[in-house]
Amino acid sequence: MPIIRVPEDFATIAEAVGHATPGDTIQIGSAYSGFEGSVNVSVNNLTFDGNFPLSIVLDAQNGNVTSISTTGNADFDLRGRGGNDTLIGN
């Protein structure tokens, strides 16, 4: 399962999500200084990792997203739109 690093691999979280495949981890590094507000997630089974002060909304776009998880100390606000979404995190 590849690790996609923001901003090293992609400049924004949205770009990283756009290039992710199921099972990937999107690791948000301390060098990331962007503010995206809400990031639409349409890829199933992603993990988001952030270990610094960060507040991001991860918005599951449809019922195809069944799992989003988060790790680290960042503040992720997880929102699901489908009845089958499993959103796990801090």
Side-chain angles (χ1 to χ4, degrees):
M1 318 270 165
I3 295 176
I4 299 171
R5 299 172 304 148
V6 177
E8 292 87 351
D9 299 330
F10 294 99
T12 68
I13 298 168
E15 284 181 273
V17 169
H19 287 86
T21 58
D24 287 355
T25 295
I26 297 177
Q27 187 176 65
I28 304 151
S30 59
Y32 174 72
S33 61
F35 174 77
E36 297 178 61
S38 178
V39 176
N40 295 329
V41 179
S42 59
V43 179
N44 189 32
N45 195 26
L46 292 181
T47 297
F48 291 83
D49 178 36
N51 284 306
F52 63 98
L54 172 73
S55 182
I56 284 288
V57 175
L58 302 174
D59 192 350
Q61 284 291 293
N62 55 51
N64 294 329
V65 177
T66 58
S67 177
I68 295 174
S69 59
T70 63
T71 60
N73 297 321
D75 180 19
F76 293 101
D77 180 2
L78 305 174
R79 297 182 187 174
R81 294 189 186 222
N84 296 325
D85 297 336
T86 303
L87 307 176
I88 304 165
N90 50 349

